[in-house]
Amino acid sequence: NFCKARCVNIMPLVQSYGHLEYILKKDKYKHLREDENRLNEVCGTRPEVKKFIMNQMEEVITLHPDIKYFHIGGDEPFRAKFCPDCKNIVTKKGKSGLYLQHINPILDFIHKKGLIPVVWDDMITSFPEISDKLSKPLIINYWDYLPTTYRSELVLIRAWHDQRMPIRDAKKQVDKKILGIFEKYWRCESYPKEAPTFPLIKYYKDL
């Protein structure tokens, strides 16, 4: 009511893959971990994981009857492919296939609630092939940590575990397929010395 009176729209967020330390640190939820020795992410293949996440989302949605958007997180599953079942899927379909198997049912769940899901962009730019396979509609939440708002000598390469590197190094080291997709969005009058900040806004508009 406080936000509504001030024309502020609430968008809840419940993590769906990484950043679930606050849950996974508890012994009763240890079985949901991708790696039993790490707290950062859930397993992408166990049915009880999706059920648990959706139950959390259901509870939050019930408490926010007037919302239009719901953020599912979905970022930084760095340990995915650790458990045998996840590893098997990654072997057959790649890490992008594992991500789709885990995330799409959660997106569909949000759609059935009459809401538009929001997801962080890192996996989409790490694996561009999933962009047309994700359940729609969907809002992509693009983020970066930048010291400037105009030009930067560094570009962010998501597939390198969110590694920021000088443009000259990126042109040499980044997979040619990834470079072929994103390099045109780095170009500006001072390229290759500099690239515009937040260049992938144009990329997402083109999807």
Side-chain angles (χ1 to χ4, degrees):
N1 290 336
F2 180 89
C3 292
K4 189 174 183 180
R6 290 158 179 80
C7 300
V8 174
N9 293 322
I10 294 175
M11 181 173 66
L13 185 154
V14 172
Q15 300 288 358
S16 59
Y17 217 152
H19 303 293
L20 280 155
E21 293 87 348
Y22 71 102
I23 294 293
L24 299 177
K25 68 181 180 181
K26 301 179 185 298
D27 287 341
K28 66 181 292 186
Y29 299 121
K30 186 176 181 179
H31 65 290
L32 301 180
R33 299 176 189 172
E34 172 68 12
D35 177 350
E36 67 175 16
N37 297 313
R38 299 292 183 94
L39 304 177
N40 57 306
E41 67 191 78
V42 292
C43 175
T45 54
R46 296 174 196 166
E48 62 265 36
V49 167
K50 293 181 183 65
K51 181 178 180 180
F52 178 80
I53 290 170
M54 291 176 186
N55 285 342
Q56 285 192 86
M57 292 178 172
E58 178 81 51
E59 182 177 345
V60 174
I61 290 169
T62 300
L63 293 172
H64 299 83
D66 298 324
I67 59 173
K68 297 180 180 179
Y69 308 99
F70 194 96
H71 207 308
I72 70 164
D75 61 321
E76 299 186 355
F78 293 143
R79 300 288 293 176
K81 80 178 183 180
F82 190 88
C83 92
D85 291 337
C86 290
K87 187 175 182 179
N88 184 48
I89 292 177
V90 171
T91 300
K92 294 178 180 178
K93 300 181 180 180
K95 193 172 180 180
S96 60
L98 174 61
Y99 186 77
L100 289 169
Q101 174 178 298
H102 179 67
I103 287 295
N104 270 341
I106 296 172
L107 293 174
D108 290 338
F109 172 80
I110 298 300
H111 291 146
K112 290 176 182 178
K113 297 298 177 181
L115 303 174
I116 297 176
V118 181
V119 64
W120 294 116
D121 77 306
D122 63 328
M123 292 299 288
I124 298 170
T125 46
S126 293
F127 304 98
E129 66 272 17
I130 72 173
S131 61
D132 61 349
K133 299 175 183 177
L134 288 164
S135 184
K136 308 292 191 310
L138 174 69
I139 292 177
I140 300 169
N141 198 164
Y142 174 28
W143 62 269
D144 199 347
Y145 301 116
L146 292 168
T148 177
T149 57
Y150 182 58
R151 296 281 187 265
S152 175
E153 296 180 355
L154 305 177
V155 288
L156 181 64
I157 309 299
R158 298 291 197 196
W160 269 252
H161 288 274
D162 290 338
Q163 179 178 342
R164 191 172 287 97
M165 62 174 67
I167 296 167
R168 63 180 181 276
D169 293 340
K171 288 170 66 67
K172 296 176 183 177
Q173 299 178 26
V174 174
D175 181 273
K176 296 300 181 184
K177 180 180 178 181
I178 296 293
L179 190 65
I181 294 172
F182 296 121
E183 186 180 16
K184 65 181 180 180
Y185 297 100
W186 300 342
R187 295 185 181 277
C188 62
E189 62 273 13
S190 53
Y191 185 82
K193 181 181 178 181
E194 296 176 312
T197 56
F198 298 101
L200 297 185
I201 290 176
K202 291 183 179 180
Y203 167 71
Y204 290 128
K205 287 182 178 179
D206 289 344
L207 285 180

